[in-house]
Amino acid sequence: MKKISLLFFIFASFLSYSQKKETIAIKKQGELFFFRTGLFKDSIITKNISDTFFVKLSGDKKESIEIKLINATFTKANNEHLFKLLYTPGMKYRMIYANSVHEGITLTSEKENKNRLEVHIATDGANTSGKKEIVIEIWDTKTDKLLLSNVFTYKEK
């Protein structure tokens, strides 16, 4: 009888530990990370030294954020959040998440589109200032409000 009650006690204790623990999932909202990586001086961008930027947005910000570039464009680096800046004098570009532009049938899934930044030529004309300055602006398209504006001087070493 003692063996049966001992086995029953062990079995009951294992059952109590096998219950699933409750977890709470937290979704981060309202996050925007935009900064340069590497060694750099405050407002000078040097080709192949200080021309890499980190861009990461939370899911709710992806549909309403637009990055405007004057005299420059971004190309994808080896990481999904790293972008290399290319000096393009006289040109204006904008970066937006793909699903906020494309409508209709696409070859990629909707989830892939939401996570892919695309560069587009701006429709408000070319830059005619002639300066070697790069302007980067981050806009909230829902409120049409400027969130961040940086002016950099470009040099090639």
Side-chain angles (χ1 to χ4, degrees), residues 67-139:
I67 302 172
K68 294 182 180 182
L69 303 154
I70 299 174
N71 288 336
T73 188
F74 280 134
T75 60
K76 195 80 150 166
N78 56 357
N79 183 324
E80 71 175 284
H81 300 294
L82 290 178
F83 294 89
K84 188 167 179 72
L85 186 127
L86 298 175
Y87 179 63
T88 56
M91 297 296 293
K92 291 183 181 180
Y93 290 93
R94 65 187 188 120
M95 286 183 65
I96 51 177
Y97 275 88
N99 70 324
S100 59
V101 189
H102 296 295
E103 294 176 357
I105 299 172
T106 61
L107 296 176
T108 57
S109 70
E110 185 176 324
K111 184 178 180 181
E112 289 172 350
N113 277 343
K114 286 183 179 180
N115 293 323
R116 194 176 78 232
L117 270 170
E118 287 187 350
V119 178
H120 299 273
I121 296 175
T123 57
D124 58 349
N127 179 33
T128 58
S129 71
K131 296 180 181 178
K132 268 198 154 181
E133 289 183 341
I134 295 172
V135 179
I136 300 174
E137 297 177 338
I138 298 178
W139 287 83

Side-chain angles (χ1 to χ4, degrees), residues 3 5 10 23-24 34 98 104 113 115 121 125-126 133 143 148 155:
K3 289 182 181 179
S5 62
I10 292 172
T23 57
I24 298 173
F34 180 80
N113 277 343
N115 293 323
I121 296 175
E133 289 183 341
T143 61
L148 176 75
K155 70 178 194 175

Side-chain angles (χ1 to χ4, degrees), residues 32-83:
L32 164 65
F33 296 104
F34 180 80
F35 56 87
R36 281 198 300 171
T37 61
L39 302 171
F40 55 86
K41 295 185 180 174
D42 191 30
S43 62
I44 298 174
I45 294 178
T46 307
K47 184 177 181 177
N48 295 327
I49 295 174
S50 61
D51 58 353
T52 305
F53 286 79
F54 181 86
V55 180
K56 185 176 181 182
L57 306 170
S58 59
D60 62 323
K61 288 286 187 188
K62 289 181 181 180
E63 295 179 8
S64 65
I65 294 295
E66 178 179 358
I67 302 172
K68 294 182 180 182
L69 303 154
I70 299 174
N71 288 336
T73 188
F74 280 134
T75 60
K76 195 80 150 166
N78 56 357
N79 183 324
E80 71 175 284
H81 300 294
L82 290 178
F83 294 89

